[in-house]
Short mmCIF file of all heavy atoms in Angstrom, two decimals:
data_model
loop_
_atom_site.label_atom_id
_atom_site.label_comp_id
_atom_site.label_asym_id
_atom_site.label_seq_id
_atom_site.Cartn_x
_atom_site.Cartn_y
_atom_site.Cartn_z
N MET H 1 11.38 15.28 1.41
CA MET H 1 11.79 14.02 2.03
C MET H 1 11.28 12.85 1.18
O MET H 1 10.15 12.89 0.71
CB MET H 1 11.19 13.93 3.45
CG MET H 1 11.62 12.68 4.18
SD MET H 1 10.80 12.54 5.79
CE MET H 1 11.49 13.97 6.63
N ASN H 2 12.11 11.85 1.02
CA ASN H 2 11.70 10.67 0.24
C ASN H 2 11.20 9.58 1.18
O ASN H 2 11.98 8.83 1.76
CB ASN H 2 12.88 10.15 -0.58
CG ASN H 2 12.51 8.92 -1.37
OD1 ASN H 2 11.32 8.61 -1.49
ND2 ASN H 2 13.49 8.23 -1.90
N HIS H 3 9.90 9.50 1.34
CA HIS H 3 9.32 8.53 2.26
C HIS H 3 9.41 7.11 1.72
O HIS H 3 9.26 6.16 2.45
CB HIS H 3 7.87 8.88 2.55
CG HIS H 3 7.71 10.23 3.18
ND1 HIS H 3 8.09 10.49 4.47
CD2 HIS H 3 7.24 11.38 2.68
CE1 HIS H 3 7.86 11.76 4.74
NE2 HIS H 3 7.35 12.33 3.68
N ASN H 4 9.65 6.99 0.42
CA ASN H 4 9.66 5.66 -0.17
C ASN H 4 10.89 4.85 0.23
O ASN H 4 11.00 3.69 -0.10
CB ASN H 4 9.59 5.76 -1.70
CG ASN H 4 8.23 6.23 -2.14
OD1 ASN H 4 7.24 5.93 -1.48
ND2 ASN H 4 8.18 6.97 -3.22
N ARG H 5 11.80 5.48 0.94
CA ARG H 5 12.98 4.73 1.36
C ARG H 5 12.62 3.60 2.32
O ARG H 5 13.41 2.69 2.56
CB ARG H 5 14.00 5.66 2.01
CG ARG H 5 13.60 6.23 3.36
CD ARG H 5 14.61 7.26 3.80
NE ARG H 5 14.36 7.78 5.12
CZ ARG H 5 13.47 8.73 5.39
NH1 ARG H 5 12.74 9.24 4.41
NH2 ARG H 5 13.30 9.17 6.62
N PHE H 6 11.42 3.64 2.87
CA PHE H 6 10.99 2.60 3.79
C PHE H 6 10.23 1.47 3.10
O PHE H 6 9.80 0.54 3.74
CB PHE H 6 10.08 3.20 4.88
CG PHE H 6 10.79 4.16 5.77
CD1 PHE H 6 10.54 5.51 5.68
CD2 PHE H 6 11.72 3.72 6.70
CE1 PHE H 6 11.20 6.41 6.50
CE2 PHE H 6 12.38 4.60 7.53
CZ PHE H 6 12.12 5.96 7.43
N LEU H 7 10.08 1.58 1.80
CA LEU H 7 9.22 0.64 1.09
C LEU H 7 9.67 -0.80 1.30
O LEU H 7 8.84 -1.70 1.43
CB LEU H 7 9.20 0.98 -0.40
CG LEU H 7 8.06 0.39 -1.21
CD1 LEU H 7 6.73 0.79 -0.61
CD2 LEU H 7 8.15 0.83 -2.66
N GLY H 8 10.96 -1.05 1.33
CA GLY H 8 11.44 -2.41 1.54
C GLY H 8 10.96 -2.98 2.85
O GLY H 8 10.51 -4.12 2.92
N PHE H 9 11.02 -2.20 3.90
CA PHE H 9 10.55 -2.66 5.20
C PHE H 9 9.05 -2.86 5.17
O PHE H 9 8.53 -3.82 5.72
CB PHE H 9 10.89 -1.63 6.28
CG PHE H 9 12.34 -1.47 6.52
CD1 PHE H 9 13.03 -0.39 5.99
CD2 PHE H 9 13.04 -2.40 7.28
CE1 PHE H 9 14.38 -0.24 6.21
CE2 PHE H 9 14.40 -2.25 7.50
CZ PHE H 9 15.07 -1.18 6.97
N MET H 10 8.35 -1.92 4.51
CA MET H 10 6.90 -1.98 4.49
C MET H 10 6.41 -3.26 3.81
O MET H 10 5.51 -3.92 4.30
CB MET H 10 6.33 -0.77 3.76
CG MET H 10 6.55 0.54 4.53
SD MET H 10 6.46 1.98 3.48
CE MET H 10 4.79 1.86 2.88
N THR H 11 7.00 -3.60 2.69
CA THR H 11 6.52 -4.74 1.93
C THR H 11 6.85 -6.06 2.63
O THR H 11 6.22 -7.06 2.37
CB THR H 11 7.12 -4.74 0.51
OG1 THR H 11 8.53 -4.63 0.61
CG2 THR H 11 6.57 -3.60 -0.31
N THR H 12 7.85 -6.03 3.52
CA THR H 12 8.17 -7.25 4.24
C THR H 12 7.49 -7.29 5.60
O THR H 12 7.67 -8.23 6.36
CB THR H 12 9.69 -7.39 4.44
OG1 THR H 12 10.16 -6.22 5.11
CG2 THR H 12 10.41 -7.55 3.11
N GLY H 13 6.70 -6.26 5.90
CA GLY H 13 5.96 -6.26 7.15
C GLY H 13 6.85 -6.02 8.36
O GLY H 13 6.52 -6.42 9.46
N GLY H 14 7.97 -5.37 8.17
CA GLY H 14 8.88 -5.09 9.29
C GLY H 14 8.27 -4.12 10.26
O GLY H 14 7.15 -3.66 10.09
N GLY H 15 8.99 -3.77 11.29
CA GLY H 15 8.46 -2.95 12.36
C GLY H 15 8.39 -1.49 12.01
O GLY H 15 9.10 -0.66 12.57
N ILE H 16 7.54 -1.14 11.07
CA ILE H 16 7.35 0.23 10.63
C ILE H 16 5.92 0.65 10.94
O ILE H 16 5.00 -0.15 10.80
CB ILE H 16 7.58 0.36 9.11
CG1 ILE H 16 8.97 -0.15 8.72
CG2 ILE H 16 7.39 1.80 8.64
CD1 ILE H 16 10.11 0.69 9.18
N HIS H 17 5.75 1.87 11.36
CA HIS H 17 4.39 2.37 11.50
C HIS H 17 4.34 3.85 11.14
O HIS H 17 5.37 4.51 11.03
CB HIS H 17 3.81 2.10 12.89
CG HIS H 17 4.36 3.00 13.96
ND1 HIS H 17 3.61 3.39 15.04
CD2 HIS H 17 5.57 3.56 14.11
CE1 HIS H 17 4.34 4.18 15.82
NE2 HIS H 17 5.52 4.30 15.28
N LEU H 18 3.13 4.32 10.92
CA LEU H 18 2.92 5.72 10.58
C LEU H 18 2.94 6.54 11.85
O LEU H 18 2.23 6.24 12.81
CB LEU H 18 1.57 5.88 9.86
CG LEU H 18 1.22 7.30 9.46
CD1 LEU H 18 2.15 7.79 8.36
CD2 LEU H 18 -0.23 7.37 8.99
N LEU H 19 3.75 7.58 11.84
CA LEU H 19 3.90 8.42 13.02
C LEU H 19 3.35 9.82 12.74
O LEU H 19 3.61 10.39 11.67
CB LEU H 19 5.38 8.52 13.40
CG LEU H 19 5.71 9.32 14.66
CD1 LEU H 19 5.31 8.54 15.91
CD2 LEU H 19 7.19 9.65 14.69
N VAL H 20 2.60 10.36 13.68
CA VAL H 20 2.14 11.74 13.61
C VAL H 20 2.98 12.58 14.56
O VAL H 20 3.04 12.29 15.76
CB VAL H 20 0.65 11.87 14.00
CG1 VAL H 20 0.20 13.33 13.92
CG2 VAL H 20 -0.22 10.99 13.14
N ASP H 21 3.65 13.59 14.04
CA ASP H 21 4.41 14.51 14.88
C ASP H 21 3.41 15.44 15.56
O ASP H 21 2.84 16.34 14.93
CB ASP H 21 5.40 15.31 14.03
CG ASP H 21 6.34 16.17 14.89
OD1 ASP H 21 5.87 16.69 15.93
OD2 ASP H 21 7.51 16.33 14.52
N ARG H 22 3.21 15.24 16.83
CA ARG H 22 2.16 15.98 17.55
C ARG H 22 2.53 17.44 17.74
O ARG H 22 1.67 18.26 18.06
CB ARG H 22 1.88 15.31 18.90
CG ARG H 22 1.26 13.93 18.75
CD ARG H 22 0.92 13.33 20.10
NE ARG H 22 -0.03 14.11 20.85
CZ ARG H 22 -1.35 14.06 20.68
NH1 ARG H 22 -1.85 13.25 19.77
NH2 ARG H 22 -2.16 14.81 21.40
N ASP H 23 3.78 17.79 17.58
CA ASP H 23 4.17 19.20 17.67
C ASP H 23 3.85 19.94 16.37
O ASP H 23 3.55 21.13 16.39
CB ASP H 23 5.66 19.32 17.97
CG ASP H 23 6.00 18.84 19.37
OD1 ASP H 23 5.16 19.02 20.27
OD2 ASP H 23 7.09 18.30 19.55
N LEU H 24 3.90 19.21 15.24
CA LEU H 24 3.63 19.84 13.95
C LEU H 24 2.15 19.79 13.59
O LEU H 24 1.61 20.73 13.00
CB LEU H 24 4.44 19.14 12.85
CG LEU H 24 5.96 19.33 12.89
CD1 LEU H 24 6.63 18.48 11.83
CD2 LEU H 24 6.31 20.80 12.70
N CYS H 25 1.48 18.69 13.90
CA CYS H 25 0.08 18.51 13.50
C CYS H 25 -0.81 19.55 14.18
O CYS H 25 -0.71 19.77 15.39
CB CYS H 25 -0.39 17.11 13.88
SG CYS H 25 -2.15 16.83 13.56
N TYR H 26 -1.67 20.19 13.38
CA TYR H 26 -2.60 21.16 13.96
C TYR H 26 -4.06 20.79 13.68
O TYR H 26 -4.96 21.61 13.85
CB TYR H 26 -2.28 22.57 13.46
CG TYR H 26 -2.44 22.77 11.97
CD1 TYR H 26 -3.56 23.44 11.46
CD2 TYR H 26 -1.48 22.30 11.08
CE1 TYR H 26 -3.71 23.63 10.10
CE2 TYR H 26 -1.64 22.49 9.71
CZ TYR H 26 -2.74 23.16 9.24
OH TYR H 26 -2.90 23.32 7.88
N GLY H 27 -4.27 19.54 13.23
CA GLY H 27 -5.63 19.02 13.13
C GLY H 27 -6.42 19.52 11.96
O GLY H 27 -7.65 19.65 12.05
N CYS H 28 -5.77 19.75 10.83
CA CYS H 28 -6.49 20.28 9.67
C CYS H 28 -7.42 19.23 9.06
O CYS H 28 -8.37 19.57 8.37
CB CYS H 28 -5.51 20.79 8.62
SG CYS H 28 -4.60 19.50 7.74
N GLY H 29 -7.11 17.95 9.28
CA GLY H 29 -7.97 16.88 8.79
C GLY H 29 -7.70 16.42 7.37
O GLY H 29 -8.39 15.53 6.88
N ALA H 30 -6.73 17.00 6.70
CA ALA H 30 -6.46 16.63 5.31
C ALA H 30 -6.10 15.15 5.20
O ALA H 30 -6.58 14.45 4.30
CB ALA H 30 -5.33 17.50 4.75
N CYS H 31 -5.27 14.66 6.09
CA CYS H 31 -4.87 13.25 6.03
C CYS H 31 -6.05 12.33 6.30
O CYS H 31 -6.15 11.25 5.71
CB CYS H 31 -3.74 12.99 7.01
SG CYS H 31 -4.15 13.33 8.74
N VAL H 32 -6.94 12.75 7.18
CA VAL H 32 -8.12 11.94 7.51
C VAL H 32 -8.99 11.75 6.27
O VAL H 32 -9.52 10.67 6.01
CB VAL H 32 -8.93 12.61 8.64
CG1 VAL H 32 -10.20 11.84 8.94
CG2 VAL H 32 -8.07 12.76 9.89
N MET H 33 -9.09 12.81 5.47
CA MET H 33 -9.91 12.76 4.26
C MET H 33 -9.30 11.85 3.20
O MET H 33 -10.01 11.22 2.41
CB MET H 33 -10.09 14.17 3.68
CG MET H 33 -10.76 15.15 4.61
SD MET H 33 -12.48 14.75 4.93
CE MET H 33 -13.19 15.19 3.34
N VAL H 34 -7.98 11.76 3.19
CA VAL H 34 -7.26 11.03 2.14
C VAL H 34 -7.22 9.53 2.40
O VAL H 34 -7.27 8.73 1.46
CB VAL H 34 -5.82 11.59 2.00
CG1 VAL H 34 -4.93 10.66 1.22
CG2 VAL H 34 -5.87 12.97 1.36
N CYS H 35 -7.15 9.14 3.64
CA CYS H 35 -6.95 7.71 3.95
C CYS H 35 -8.12 6.87 3.44
O CYS H 35 -9.27 7.08 3.83
CB CYS H 35 -6.80 7.51 5.45
SG CYS H 35 -6.58 5.77 5.88
N PRO H 36 -7.83 5.88 2.59
CA PRO H 36 -8.90 5.05 2.03
C PRO H 36 -9.44 4.03 3.02
O PRO H 36 -10.45 3.38 2.76
CB PRO H 36 -8.23 4.36 0.84
CG PRO H 36 -6.78 4.31 1.21
CD PRO H 36 -6.51 5.54 2.04
N LEU H 37 -8.77 3.86 4.15
CA LEU H 37 -9.13 2.80 5.10
C LEU H 37 -9.63 3.34 6.43
O LEU H 37 -9.79 2.58 7.39
CB LEU H 37 -7.92 1.89 5.34
CG LEU H 37 -7.39 1.17 4.10
CD1 LEU H 37 -6.11 0.46 4.40
CD2 LEU H 37 -8.44 0.21 3.55
N ASP H 38 -9.87 4.65 6.49
CA ASP H 38 -10.32 5.28 7.74
C ASP H 38 -9.40 4.95 8.91
O ASP H 38 -9.86 4.72 10.04
CB ASP H 38 -11.77 4.85 8.08
CG ASP H 38 -12.77 5.46 7.14
OD1 ASP H 38 -12.49 6.54 6.59
OD2 ASP H 38 -13.85 4.86 6.94
N ALA H 39 -8.10 4.93 8.62
CA ALA H 39 -7.13 4.61 9.67
C ALA H 39 -6.67 5.84 10.43
O ALA H 39 -5.92 5.73 11.39
CB ALA H 39 -5.92 3.89 9.07
N LEU H 40 -7.12 7.02 10.00
CA LEU H 40 -6.77 8.26 10.68
C LEU H 40 -8.04 8.93 11.18
O LEU H 40 -9.07 8.90 10.51
CB LEU H 40 -6.04 9.21 9.72
CG LEU H 40 -4.59 8.86 9.39
CD1 LEU H 40 -4.16 9.56 8.10
CD2 LEU H 40 -3.66 9.24 10.52
N ARG H 41 -7.95 9.53 12.35
CA ARG H 41 -9.06 10.33 12.87
C ARG H 41 -8.49 11.46 13.68
O ARG H 41 -7.30 11.44 14.04
CB ARG H 41 -10.02 9.47 13.70
CG ARG H 41 -9.38 8.85 14.91
CD ARG H 41 -10.26 7.75 15.50
NE ARG H 41 -9.53 6.93 16.44
CZ ARG H 41 -9.45 7.18 17.74
NH1 ARG H 41 -10.11 8.21 18.25
NH2 ARG H 41 -8.75 6.42 18.54
N LEU H 42 -9.31 12.43 13.95
CA LEU H 42 -8.87 13.56 14.76
C LEU H 42 -9.29 13.37 16.20
O LEU H 42 -10.42 12.95 16.49
CB LEU H 42 -9.46 14.87 14.22
CG LEU H 42 -8.95 15.34 12.86
CD1 LEU H 42 -9.63 16.64 12.47
CD2 LEU H 42 -7.44 15.51 12.86
N MET H 43 -8.36 13.66 17.08
CA MET H 43 -8.65 13.60 18.51
C MET H 43 -7.94 14.77 19.17
O MET H 43 -6.70 14.84 19.14
CB MET H 43 -8.18 12.27 19.09
CG MET H 43 -8.45 12.12 20.58
SD MET H 43 -7.82 10.55 21.24
CE MET H 43 -8.97 9.39 20.51
N GLY H 44 -8.69 15.68 19.73
CA GLY H 44 -8.08 16.83 20.38
C GLY H 44 -7.25 17.68 19.44
O GLY H 44 -6.19 18.16 19.82
N TRP H 45 -7.74 17.85 18.20
CA TRP H 45 -7.05 18.66 17.20
C TRP H 45 -5.68 18.09 16.81
O TRP H 45 -4.76 18.81 16.44
CB TRP H 45 -6.91 20.13 17.64
CG TRP H 45 -8.23 20.79 17.73
CD1 TRP H 45 -8.97 21.01 18.86
CD2 TRP H 45 -9.02 21.29 16.64
NE1 TRP H 45 -10.15 21.62 18.54
CE2 TRP H 45 -10.21 21.81 17.20
CE3 TRP H 45 -8.83 21.36 15.26
CZ2 TRP H 45 -11.21 22.36 16.41
CZ3 TRP H 45 -9.83 21.92 14.48
CH2 TRP H 45 -11.00 22.41 15.06
N ARG H 46 -5.57 16.77 16.92
CA ARG H 46 -4.38 16.08 16.42
C ARG H 46 -4.84 14.83 15.69
O ARG H 46 -5.84 14.21 16.07
CB ARG H 46 -3.45 15.67 17.57
CG ARG H 46 -2.85 16.81 18.35
CD ARG H 46 -1.86 17.61 17.54
NE ARG H 46 -1.21 18.67 18.32
CZ ARG H 46 -1.72 19.88 18.51
NH1 ARG H 46 -2.90 20.19 18.00
NH2 ARG H 46 -1.05 20.78 19.21
N ALA H 47 -4.10 14.45 14.65
CA ALA H 47 -4.41 13.21 13.94
C ALA H 47 -3.90 12.03 14.75
O ALA H 47 -2.81 12.08 15.33
CB ALA H 47 -3.76 13.22 12.56
N VAL H 48 -4.70 10.98 14.79
CA VAL H 48 -4.34 9.75 15.50
C VAL H 48 -4.44 8.60 14.51
O VAL H 48 -5.40 8.51 13.75
CB VAL H 48 -5.28 9.51 16.70
CG1 VAL H 48 -4.95 8.20 17.39
CG2 VAL H 48 -5.19 10.67 17.68
N VAL H 49 -3.46 7.71 14.55
CA VAL H 49 -3.40 6.59 13.62
C VAL H 49 -3.91 5.33 14.30
O VAL H 49 -3.52 5.02 15.43
CB VAL H 49 -1.95 6.35 13.14
CG1 VAL H 49 -1.93 5.25 12.08
CG2 VAL H 49 -1.34 7.63 12.62
N ASP H 50 -4.76 4.59 13.60
CA ASP H 50 -5.16 3.26 14.04
C ASP H 50 -4.20 2.27 13.38
O ASP H 50 -4.32 1.95 12.20
CB ASP H 50 -6.61 2.98 13.61
CG ASP H 50 -7.07 1.59 14.03
OD1 ASP H 50 -6.24 0.77 14.45
OD2 ASP H 50 -8.28 1.33 13.90
N ASP H 51 -3.21 1.82 14.13
CA ASP H 51 -2.18 0.95 13.57
C ASP H 51 -2.75 -0.37 13.06
O ASP H 51 -2.16 -1.01 12.19
CB ASP H 51 -1.09 0.69 14.60
CG ASP H 51 -0.17 1.89 14.79
OD1 ASP H 51 0.17 2.53 13.78
OD2 ASP H 51 0.21 2.18 15.94
N GLU H 52 -3.87 -0.80 13.61
CA GLU H 52 -4.48 -2.05 13.15
C GLU H 52 -5.06 -1.88 11.75
O GLU H 52 -5.02 -2.81 10.94
CB GLU H 52 -5.61 -2.45 14.12
CG GLU H 52 -5.15 -2.78 15.51
CD GLU H 52 -4.34 -4.06 15.56
OE1 GLU H 52 -4.71 -5.01 14.86
OE2 GLU H 52 -3.32 -4.09 16.27
N ALA H 53 -5.58 -0.70 11.45
CA ALA H 53 -6.22 -0.47 10.15
C ALA H 53 -5.23 0.02 9.09
O ALA H 53 -5.41 -0.23 7.90
CB ALA H 53 -7.34 0.56 10.31
N CYS H 54 -4.18 0.70 9.51
CA CYS H 54 -3.22 1.29 8.57
C CYS H 54 -2.40 0.22 7.88
O CYS H 54 -1.83 -0.65 8.54
CB CYS H 54 -2.31 2.26 9.32
SG CYS H 54 -1.00 2.96 8.28
N THR H 55 -2.37 0.29 6.56
CA THR H 55 -1.57 -0.67 5.78
C THR H 55 -0.29 -0.03 5.24
O THR H 55 0.37 -0.61 4.39
CB THR H 55 -2.40 -1.19 4.59
OG1 THR H 55 -2.77 -0.08 3.77
CG2 THR H 55 -3.63 -1.93 5.06
N LEU H 56 0.05 1.16 5.74
CA LEU H 56 1.27 1.86 5.31
C LEU H 56 1.28 2.13 3.81
O LEU H 56 2.32 2.08 3.17
CB LEU H 56 2.52 1.05 5.72
CG LEU H 56 2.62 0.69 7.20
CD1 LEU H 56 3.81 -0.22 7.44
CD2 LEU H 56 2.72 1.93 8.06
N CYS H 57 0.11 2.45 3.28
CA CYS H 57 -0.01 2.62 1.84
C CYS H 57 0.66 3.91 1.36
O CYS H 57 0.91 4.08 0.17
CB CYS H 57 -1.48 2.63 1.42
SG CYS H 57 -2.36 4.14 1.89
N ASP H 58 0.91 4.84 2.26
CA ASP H 58 1.68 6.04 1.93
C ASP H 58 0.85 7.17 1.33
O ASP H 58 1.38 8.22 1.04
CB ASP H 58 2.81 5.69 0.95
CG ASP H 58 4.10 6.44 1.25
OD1 ASP H 58 4.19 7.02 2.33
OD2 ASP H 58 4.99 6.45 0.39
N HIS H 59 -0.46 6.97 1.14
CA HIS H 59 -1.28 7.98 0.47
C HIS H 59 -1.41 9.26 1.29
O HIS H 59 -1.55 10.34 0.74
CB HIS H 59 -2.68 7.43 0.17
CG HIS H 59 -2.69 6.43 -0.94
ND1 HIS H 59 -3.78 5.64 -1.21
CD2 HIS H 59 -1.73 6.09 -1.83
CE1 HIS H 59 -3.49 4.86 -2.24
NE2 HIS H 59 -2.25 5.10 -2.62
N CYS H 60 -1.39 9.14 2.59
CA CYS H 60 -1.66 10.32 3.41
C CYS H 60 -0.44 11.24 3.54
O CYS H 60 -0.60 12.43 3.79
CB CYS H 60 -2.13 9.89 4.80
SG CYS H 60 -0.95 8.82 5.66
N LEU H 61 0.75 10.72 3.38
CA LEU H 61 1.94 11.51 3.67
C LEU H 61 2.00 12.81 2.87
O LEU H 61 2.25 13.88 3.44
CB LEU H 61 3.20 10.69 3.45
CG LEU H 61 3.74 9.95 4.67
CD1 LEU H 61 2.74 8.96 5.24
CD2 LEU H 61 5.06 9.28 4.37
N PRO H 62 1.77 12.80 1.56
CA PRO H 62 1.85 14.06 0.80
C PRO H 62 0.72 15.03 1.10
O PRO H 62 0.81 16.20 0.73
CB PRO H 62 1.78 13.60 -0.67
CG PRO H 62 1.99 12.13 -0.66
CD PRO H 62 1.54 11.66 0.68
N SER H 63 -0.34 14.56 1.76
CA SER H 63 -1.49 15.44 2.01
C SER H 63 -1.24 16.42 3.15
O SER H 63 -1.94 17.42 3.26
CB SER H 63 -2.73 14.60 2.34
OG SER H 63 -2.62 14.03 3.64
N CYS H 64 -0.26 16.17 3.97
CA CYS H 64 -0.06 17.01 5.15
C CYS H 64 0.70 18.28 4.79
O CYS H 64 1.83 18.22 4.30
CB CYS H 64 0.70 16.24 6.23
SG CYS H 64 0.95 17.23 7.71
N PRO H 65 0.12 19.43 5.06
CA PRO H 65 0.77 20.70 4.69
C PRO H 65 1.97 21.04 5.54
O PRO H 65 2.75 21.93 5.18
CB PRO H 65 -0.35 21.73 4.87
CG PRO H 65 -1.27 21.13 5.85
CD PRO H 65 -1.22 19.64 5.63
N VAL H 66 2.13 20.37 6.67
CA VAL H 66 3.27 20.70 7.55
C VAL H 66 4.22 19.50 7.71
O VAL H 66 5.08 19.50 8.60
CB VAL H 66 2.79 21.20 8.93
CG1 VAL H 66 2.10 22.54 8.79
CG2 VAL H 66 1.87 20.18 9.58
N ASP H 67 4.03 18.48 6.87
CA ASP H 67 4.93 17.32 6.86
C ASP H 67 5.01 16.65 8.23
O ASP H 67 6.09 16.29 8.71
CB ASP H 67 6.33 17.73 6.39
CG ASP H 67 7.12 16.56 5.81
OD1 ASP H 67 6.49 15.55 5.45
OD2 ASP H 67 8.36 16.66 5.73
N ALA H 68 3.84 16.50 8.86
CA ALA H 68 3.80 15.92 10.20
C ALA H 68 3.74 14.40 10.19
O ALA H 68 3.85 13.77 11.25
CB ALA H 68 2.60 16.47 10.97
N LEU H 69 3.55 13.82 9.00
CA LEU H 69 3.41 12.36 8.92
C LEU H 69 4.69 11.75 8.37
O LEU H 69 5.28 12.26 7.43
CB LEU H 69 2.24 12.00 7.98
CG LEU H 69 0.87 12.51 8.41
CD1 LEU H 69 -0.14 12.30 7.30
CD2 LEU H 69 0.40 11.80 9.68
N SER H 70 5.08 10.64 8.96
CA SER H 70 6.27 9.95 8.48
C SER H 70 6.15 8.48 8.83
O SER H 70 5.39 8.08 9.72
CB SER H 70 7.54 10.55 9.10
OG SER H 70 7.49 10.44 10.50
N MET H 71 6.91 7.66 8.12
CA MET H 71 7.01 6.24 8.43
C MET H 71 8.23 6.05 9.32
O MET H 71 9.33 6.46 8.94
CB MET H 71 7.14 5.41 7.15
CG MET H 71 5.97 5.53 6.20
SD MET H 71 4.46 4.79 6.87
CE MET H 71 3.35 5.12 5.49
N GLU H 72 8.02 5.47 10.45
CA GLU H 72 9.12 5.33 11.39
C GLU H 72 9.26 3.88 11.84
O GLU H 72 8.26 3.15 11.95
CB GLU H 72 8.86 6.20 12.64
CG GLU H 72 8.72 7.67 12.34
CD GLU H 72 10.01 8.32 11.91
OE1 GLU H 72 11.10 7.75 12.18
OE2 GLU H 72 9.97 9.42 11.30
N ALA H 73 10.48 3.49 12.12
CA ALA H 73 10.74 2.14 12.64
C ALA H 73 10.33 2.08 14.10
O ALA H 73 10.52 3.03 14.86
CB ALA H 73 12.21 1.82 12.49
N VAL H 74 9.74 0.96 14.47
CA VAL H 74 9.36 0.74 15.85
C VAL H 74 10.51 0.03 16.56
O VAL H 74 11.00 -0.98 16.08
CB VAL H 74 8.08 -0.12 15.95
CG1 VAL H 74 7.71 -0.35 17.41
CG2 VAL H 74 6.95 0.52 15.19
N HIS H 75 10.94 0.58 17.66
CA HIS H 75 12.07 -0.01 18.38
C HIS H 75 11.58 -0.75 19.62
O HIS H 75 10.59 -0.40 20.19
CB HIS H 75 13.07 1.07 18.80
CG HIS H 75 13.68 1.77 17.62
ND1 HIS H 75 14.54 1.14 16.76
CD2 HIS H 75 13.50 3.04 17.14
CE1 HIS H 75 14.90 2.00 15.82
NE2 HIS H 75 14.27 3.15 16.02
S1 LIG L 1 -0.53 5.10 5.30
FE1 LIG L 1 -2.38 4.66 4.07
S2 LIG L 1 -3.67 3.33 5.37
FE2 LIG L 1 -2.12 4.29 6.69
S3 LIG L 1 -3.16 6.11 7.53
FE3 LIG L 1 -2.00 6.77 5.67
S4 LIG L 1 -3.47 6.64 3.97
FE4 LIG L 1 -4.31 5.45 5.71
S1 LIG L 2 -2.75 16.59 7.42
FE1 LIG L 2 -1.02 16.94 8.86
S2 LIG L 2 -1.64 18.75 10.08
FE2 LIG L 2 -3.48 17.97 9.05
S3 LIG L 2 -4.42 16.58 10.59
FE3 LIG L 2 -3.12 15.31 9.23
S4 LIG L 2 -1.11 15.18 10.29
FE4 LIG L 2 -2.27 16.89 11.20
#
């Protein structure tokens, strides 16, 4: 999947946020280790995003072994 397709929205600060697919995530913690801003943490064996801290830098997306992270538009 090409996550960079959202880059235009991200750079303009549009309504995009990082989404964790709770059905896919199994709490391995890989994304938590990668995030340079401590915007991810584990809660109940699932990754949780702090939208206030996340800058949509995209670093965590490739770290997930089950592709549970994606950038999604907020409706
Ligand atoms: S997109 Fe960047 S800032 Fe946001 S949770 Fe992932 S690594 Fe952290
Ligand atoms: S890397 Fe993927 S499976 Fe592991 S905690 Fe993060 S979102 Fe969940």
Side-chain angles (χ1 to χ4, degrees):
M1 183 185 295
N2 179 13
H3 299 289
N4 290 328
R5 70 187 184 279
F6 294 108
L7 198 56
F9 294 101
M10 292 159 61
T11 52
T12 56
I16 303 291
H17 75 147
L18 179 68
L19 183 73
V20 180
D21 187 324
R22 294 183 61 82
D23 291 327
L24 291 175
C25 175
Y26 64 103
C28 72
C31 60
V32 176
M33 300 293 288
V34 165
C35 179
L37 299 173
D38 289 333
L40 285 160
R41 61 195 166 90
L42 292 180
M43 180 182 289
W45 294 99
R46 295 292 184 274
V48 177
V49 185
D50 179 349
D51 285 320
E52 296 291 320
C54 175
T55 60
L56 305 174
C57 73
D58 219 13
H59 287 168
C60 57
L61 268 60
S63 72
C64 180
V66 292
D67 204 19
L69 299 170
S70 59
M71 299 292 180
E72 300 290 341
V74 179
H75 297 292

